[in-house]
Amino acid sequence: MARRHRGALLRVGEVRSSGLVVSYLIGSDDEPPTVVVHASCRAGAGWAELTLPQAAHLVDQLGSLLAQAGDPGEGEHGRQ
């Protein structure tokens, strides 16, 4: 069964400077949808197809990294 994009193509970053991440939803009538993530930079490109639980796990990991980073006033070892 042919697969097709579902929804918007979402972009973060700039390909010429630090890199670009593109994500979108893809699916078919016979299989559950997957989230596709493409990442590219000057050194090359890669991609992954994630099941919805895997995509949720990635979101949790990114949220955890943001929480660890804290607000802009915090350094690596807390407020300085």
Side-chain angles (χ1 to χ4, degrees):
M1 178 59 68
R3 298 184 322 161
R4 60 188 176 277
H5 290 267
R6 295 182 175 196
L9 182 73
L10 306 172
R11 296 179 184 189
V12 176
E14 297 180 25
V15 73
R16 291 193 174 157
S17 60
S18 61
L20 175 71
V21 176
V22 177
S23 58
Y24 55 92
L25 190 62
I26 195 166
S28 69
D29 294 334
D30 294 344
E31 295 181 27
T34 57
V35 173
V36 180
V37 178
H38 292 262
S40 63
C41 66
R42 292 180 190 173
W47 62 274
E49 284 191 28
L50 305 173
T51 63
L52 296 183
Q54 290 172 327
H57 186 76
L58 176 61
V59 168
D60 289 342
Q61 288 180 340
L62 293 172
S64 177
L65 290 172
L66 289 172
Q68 287 177 38
D71 67 53
E74 291 192 24
E76 184 177 333
H77 302 287
R79 288 210 177 266
Q80 296 180 6

